[in-house]
Coordinates of all heavy atoms in Angstrom, one line a residue:
R49 N 10.8 10.8 -8.9 CA 9.8 10.3 -8.0 C 10.4 9.6 -6.8 O 9.9 9.7 -5.6 CB 8.9 9.4 -8.7 CG 8.0 10.0 -9.7 CD 7.2 9.0 -10.5 NE 6.3 8.3 -9.6 CZ 5.6 7.2 -10.0 NH1 5.7 6.7 -11.2 NH2 4.9 6.5 -9.1
T50 N 11.5 8.8 -7.0 CA 11.9 7.9 -5.9 C 13.4 7.8 -5.7 O 13.8 7.2 -4.7 CB 11.4 6.4 -6.3 OG1 12.0 6.1 -7.5 CG2 9.9 6.4 -6.4
K51 N 14.2 8.4 -6.5 CA 15.7 8.2 -6.4 C 16.4 9.2 -5.5 O 16.4 10.4 -5.9 CB 16.3 8.2 -7.8 CG 15.7 7.1 -8.7 CD 16.3 7.2 -10.1 CE 15.7 6.2 -11.1 NZ 16.1 6.3 -12.5
F52 N 16.9 8.7 -4.4 CA 17.7 9.6 -3.6 C 19.0 10.0 -4.2 O 19.7 9.1 -4.9 CB 18.0 8.9 -2.2 CG 16.8 9.0 -1.3 CD1 15.5 9.0 -1.7 CD2 17.0 9.0 0.1 CE1 14.4 9.1 -0.9 CE2 15.9 9.0 1.0 CZ 14.6 9.1 0.5
Y53 N 19.5 11.2 -4.0 CA 20.8 11.7 -4.5 C 20.9 11.6 -6.0 O 22.0 11.5 -6.6 CB 21.9 10.9 -3.9 CG 21.9 11.0 -2.4 CD1 21.5 9.9 -1.6 CD2 22.3 12.1 -1.7 CE1 21.4 10.0 -0.2 CE2 22.3 12.2 -0.3 CZ 21.8 11.1 0.4 OH 21.8 11.2 1.8
L54 N 19.8 11.8 -6.7 CA 19.8 11.9 -8.2 C 20.1 13.4 -8.5 O 19.5 14.3 -8.0 CB 18.5 11.5 -8.8 CG 18.4 11.5 -10.3 CD1 19.3 10.5 -10.9 CD2 16.9 11.3 -10.8
H55 N 21.1 13.6 -9.4 CA 21.6 14.9 -9.7 C 21.9 15.7 -8.4 O 21.3 16.8 -8.1 CB 20.6 15.7 -10.5 CG 20.1 15.0 -11.7 ND1 21.0 14.6 -12.7 CD2 18.9 14.5 -12.1 CE1 20.3 14.0 -13.7 NE2 19.1 13.9 -13.3
P56 N 22.9 15.3 -7.6 CA 23.2 16.0 -6.3 C 23.8 17.3 -6.5 O 24.5 17.6 -7.5 CB 24.1 15.0 -5.6 CG 24.8 14.3 -6.8 CD 23.7 14.1 -7.8
G57 N 23.5 18.2 -5.6 CA 24.0 19.6 -5.6 C 24.9 19.8 -4.4 O 25.1 18.9 -3.6
I58 N 25.3 21.0 -4.2 CA 26.1 21.4 -3.0 C 25.3 22.2 -2.1 O 24.5 23.1 -2.5 CB 27.4 22.2 -3.5 CG1 28.2 21.3 -4.4 CG2 28.2 22.6 -2.3 CD1 29.4 22.0 -5.0
S59 N 25.4 22.0 -0.8 CA 24.7 22.8 0.2 C 25.6 23.2 1.3 O 26.7 22.6 1.6 CB 23.5 22.0 0.8 OG 24.0 20.8 1.5
G60 N 25.3 24.3 2.0 CA 26.1 24.8 3.1 C 25.4 25.9 3.8 O 24.4 26.5 3.3
G61 N 25.8 26.1 5.1 CA 25.1 27.2 5.8 C 25.7 27.3 7.2 O 26.7 26.8 7.6
L62 N 24.9 28.1 8.0 CA 25.3 28.4 9.4 C 24.1 27.9 10.3 O 23.0 27.9 9.9 CB 25.5 29.9 9.6 CG 26.5 30.6 8.7 CD1 26.5 32.1 9.0 CD2 27.9 30.0 9.1
L63 N 24.5 27.5 11.5 CA 23.4 27.1 12.4 C 23.7 27.6 13.8 O 24.9 27.8 14.2 CB 23.3 25.6 12.4 CG 24.4 24.7 12.8 CD1 24.5 24.4 14.3 CD2 24.3 23.3 12.0
F64 N 22.6 27.8 14.6 CA 22.7 28.2 16.0 C 21.8 27.3 16.8 O 20.6 27.1 16.4 CB 22.2 29.7 16.1 CG 22.1 30.2 17.5 CD1 23.3 30.7 18.1 CD2 20.9 30.1 18.2 CE1 23.2 31.2 19.4 CE2 20.8 30.6 19.5 CZ 22.0 31.1 20.1
R65 N 22.3 26.8 17.9 CA 21.5 25.9 18.7 C 21.4 26.3 20.2 O 22.4 26.7 20.8 CB 22.1 24.5 18.6 CG 21.4 23.4 19.4 CD 22.1 22.1 19.3 NE 21.8 21.4 18.0 CZ 22.8 21.1 17.1 NH1 24.1 21.3 17.4 NH2 22.5 20.5 16.0
Y66 N 20.2 26.3 20.7 CA 20.0 26.6 22.2 C 19.7 25.2 22.8 O 18.7 24.6 22.5 CB 18.9 27.5 22.4 CG 18.4 27.6 23.8 CD1 19.3 28.0 24.8 CD2 17.1 27.3 24.2 CE1 19.0 28.1 26.2 CE2 16.7 27.4 25.6 CZ 17.7 27.8 26.5 OH 17.3 27.8 27.8
N67 N 20.6 24.8 23.8 CA 20.4 23.6 24.5 C 19.5 23.8 25.7 O 20.0 24.3 26.7 CB 21.8 23.0 24.9 CG 22.6 22.7 23.7 OD1 22.2 22.0 22.8 ND2 23.8 23.3 23.6
I68 N 18.3 23.3 25.6 CA 17.4 23.4 26.7 C 17.8 22.6 27.9 O 17.8 23.0 29.1 CB 15.9 23.1 26.3 CG1 15.5 24.0 25.1 CG2 15.0 23.2 27.4 CD1 14.2 23.5 24.5
N69 N 18.1 21.3 27.6 CA 18.6 20.4 28.6 C 19.4 19.3 27.9 O 19.7 19.4 26.7 CB 17.5 19.8 29.5 CG 16.3 19.3 28.6 OD1 16.5 18.5 27.7 ND2 15.1 19.7 29.0
F70 N 19.6 18.2 28.6 CA 20.4 17.1 27.9 C 19.7 16.4 26.8 O 20.3 15.9 25.9 CB 20.7 16.0 29.0 CG 21.7 16.4 30.0 CD1 21.6 15.9 31.3 CD2 22.8 17.2 29.7 CE1 22.5 16.3 32.3 CE2 23.7 17.6 30.7 CZ 23.5 17.1 32.0
L71 N 18.4 16.5 26.7 CA 17.6 15.8 25.7 C 17.0 16.7 24.6 O 16.8 16.2 23.5 CB 16.5 15.0 26.3 CG 16.9 13.9 27.3 CD1 15.6 13.2 27.8 CD2 17.7 12.9 26.5

Side-chain angles (χ1 to χ4, degrees):
R49 292 177 58 191
T50 59
K51 298 175 182 177
F52 281 28
Y53 301 104
L54 184 65
H55 306 299
I58 297 173
S59 63
L62 302 173
L63 59 88
F64 175 86
R65 182 180 282 121
Y66 169 57
N67 297 308
I68 301 172
N69 53 46
F70 290 144
L71 295 180

